Amino acid sequence: MTQTPAFNIAFLRKILEDATAPDAKWNSRSLSMAATGGKNPYLVRDIIKGKSTNPTLDTLVGLARALDMDISQMIPAATTIMHRVGGSQPFETLEVVGAVAAGVWREETTWGAEDRYSIEVGPNPFPGSERFALRMEGYSMDKVIPPGSDLECLRVAYGYVEPQPGDIVIVQRDRHDLHELTCKRLDHDGQNFILRGESTRAEFQEPIVIGRPDENHVGDNDITIIAIVLRAHQSLYTRRR
């Protein structure tokens, strides 16, 4: 386990995602080259994907200069919405921003503000790392996670938060400009890592082989493990509109 990052890595990732959005001035490669004087074309990509979680001060200075920002704008103190239950244990809130399908690959979408809602979660087990929440849809994991559950997800950051066999993970498949997500149990057969469903239904038993991940790569060029599911939250109350 490496040392906790000294700054809010999720905040920096958001800055870079906005700076390299489809209609923005920069793309990932051009911003990386500008920030590193042409030395590292993958800098921004690695930060956004969680492969780099503790950039050096020189890196932050280079990014700030390229983006015409003050360095202090890139390293704010981490902010958290904290509450207390019964005056004792603290909890935080996460916004459920979209859905993930169990059983099939589903195009990644972000819900509009009117469809989002918040769930209460415990303190972050990896301070400084990023969490997000997704709603589970489908039946390929229904032995352990009922459809309709809200998933508390911890973004993978190699060197700090890494997936291990036995984890339930959120997996992204990139096909040209299409980004798709699914949720599965991570397994290992002695040579390759595998995604397995845990379903009561026979049609979801086929495993998906994703290769031999290391700290720089998970699976083939198209598949990446982006998060580990920490908890599944269920609500027995149906919201009334």
Side-chain angles (χ1 to χ4, degrees):
M1 189 66 62
T2 59
Q3 185 176 358
T4 301
F7 62 96
N8 189 334
I9 186 66
F11 184 82
L12 176 61
R13 184 179 295 116
K14 181 64 166 60
I15 289 175
L16 298 182
E17 287 174 345
D18 290 345
T20 58
D23 296 330
K25 170 184 176 181
W26 302 96
N27 60 39
S28 174
R29 184 182 180 88
S30 64
L31 179 55
S32 296
M33 297 291 278
T36 64
K39 296 178 181 178
N40 183 0
Y42 305 113
L43 169 70
V44 172
R45 181 202 68 180
D46 287 349
I47 293 174
I48 290 175
K49 290 198 169 186
K51 296 178 181 178
S52 174
T53 60
N54 197 13
T56 65
L57 181 59
D58 286 346
T59 294
L60 295 175
V61 169
L63 288 169
R65 184 182 297 117
L67 294 172
D68 197 23
M69 297 174 62
D70 189 279
I71 185 67
S72 64
Q73 294 176 266
M74 308 194 80
I75 49 174
T79 57
T80 307
I81 302 173
M82 298 296 293
H83 305 272
R84 293 201 170 266
V85 182
S88 55
Q89 294 298 318
F91 69 85
E92 305 175 22
T93 60
L94 288 181
E95 190 173 52
V96 181
V97 298
V100 60
V104 296
W105 294 99
R106 171 175 173 161
E107 184 176 359
E108 179 182 4
T109 57
T110 302
W111 289 345
E114 69 278 5
D115 294 318
R116 298 182 184 185
Y117 55 95
S118 295
I119 60 173
E120 297 175 0
V121 298
N124 193 337
F126 293 88
S129 62
E130 180 185 357
R131 284 184 297 175
F132 58 95
L134 297 171
R135 189 153 181 94
M136 170 70 89
E137 296 183 351
Y139 290 88
S140 81
M141 293 295 295
D142 67 345
K143 285 185 177 180
V144 289
I145 304 176
S149 299
D150 296 317
L151 305 181
E152 178 188 345
C153 304
L154 182 70
R155 189 174 294 278
V156 167
Y158 282 92
Y160 187 53
V161 180
E162 300 188 10
Q164 300 292 333
D167 290 338
I168 295 176
V169 293
I170 305 297
V171 186
Q172 177 176 295
R173 181 171 69 178
D174 297 325
R175 307 178 73 181
H176 303 291
D177 294 330
L178 181 65
H179 305 297
E180 300 169 306
L181 298 180
T182 192
C183 178
K184 294 284 189 294
R185 178 83 70 178
L186 184 64
D187 195 6
H188 194 274
D189 66 1
Q191 291 186 326
N192 295 303
F193 278 76
I194 297 171
L195 303 176
R196 297 188 186 277
E198 296 186 3
S199 178
T200 58
R201 303 189 179 194
E203 63 264 34
F204 298 126
Q205 304 303 320
E206 187 69 23
I208 302 172
V209 178
I210 63 170
R212 303 176 64 182
D214 57 29
E215 65 178 0
N216 296 314
H217 186 62
V218 175
D220 58 29
N221 292 329
D222 298 323
I223 296 178
T224 306
I225 299 173
I226 64 169
I228 301 166
V229 177
L230 296 178
R231 299 175 189 86
H233 303 258
Q234 299 175 49
S235 175
L236 302 180
Y237 173 74
T238 303
R239 290 177 295 150
R240 298 172 175 82
R241 296 187 180 274

